[in-house]
Amino acid sequence: MTALQLGESFVGEGVNAAHINTVFGDREGPAGSAWAGALASPSAGHVPFVAVLAPSLPVKPFTLFVTKSAPADDAHGNHIWGPAQAGVAAGVADAVADGVIAETEVDSTVIIAAVWVNPGADDADTIYRNNRTATRTALRNGATQVPALGDVLAARAHPRNPFYTPETTAEEPE
């Protein structure tokens, strides 16, 4: 049985950046239960769907694309369903080609990809490239248990992200 793997990756800058969270594991385990439950339980603005490389050609392992934000308008929806979805599917296929996911596991495992596409995104090719790289990286990070605990502990006194950096940070706990 494949251990549950959790991955994360942020790639790019500005409105076309990609932020991906992945859950990878056995169809018969918690990942499979979560995958089926999420597919069967859409909510307003959040309709999980199977990522495809082409119409009627789903990527393997079967990957559930879950949006982190409801489509703000038609253009935003097109960026979610188009380049972001294609990037996620290609990134999963890359992870299989790279050996991050064993070919022998593609029919017994599933992936959930939680995907952020900024409503202001404006460059389809950059959205695609960033989501492809972020998905491939998130799956690799999950397989290798990145980040290392030392990196987490070293960064705790100076948290930051692309949307916020505190002016001052708390003293490190004693």
Side-chain angles (χ1 to χ4, degrees):
M1 185 172 259
T2 301
L4 189 66
Q5 298 175 7
L6 307 175
E8 185 276 344
S9 182
F10 189 99
V11 173
E13 297 178 1
V15 296
N16 297 304
H19 185 227
I20 304 284
N21 304 109
T22 56
V23 175
F24 171 76
D26 284 313
R27 286 185 184 187
E28 302 298 323
S33 295
W35 196 99
L39 184 62
S41 304
S43 62
H46 300 277
V47 180
F49 57 92
V50 175
V52 298
L53 289 162
S56 299
L57 182 62
V59 69
K60 286 189 172 187
F62 270 66
T63 299
L64 194 65
F65 185 109
V66 179
T67 62
K68 293 182 187 180
S69 65
D73 55 29
D74 287 346
H76 185 222
N78 286 339
H79 284 134
I80 292 168
W81 285 81
Q85 185 271 148
V88 167
V92 169
D94 289 341
V96 174
D98 293 346
V100 170
I101 299 171
E103 289 184 26
T104 57
E105 294 181 322
V106 298
D107 290 320
S108 62
T109 57
V110 291
I111 297 169
I112 300 170
V115 183
W116 166 254
V117 178
N118 189 310
D122 60 8
D123 184 331
D125 290 331
T126 302
I127 295 166
Y128 167 78
R129 281 191 307 274
N130 288 342
N131 277 276
R132 182 175 187 164
T133 301
T135 301
R136 182 184 204 171
T137 303
L139 290 166
R140 182 180 314 113
N141 290 349
T144 58
Q145 299 182 347
V146 168
L149 181 56
D151 294 339
V152 171
L153 296 177
R156 79 185 190 279
H158 305 284
R160 63 179 178 78
N161 62 57
F163 307 102
Y164 177 74
T165 300
E167 287 183 30
T168 60
T169 57
E171 296 278 330
E172 288 190 35
E174 294 180 25

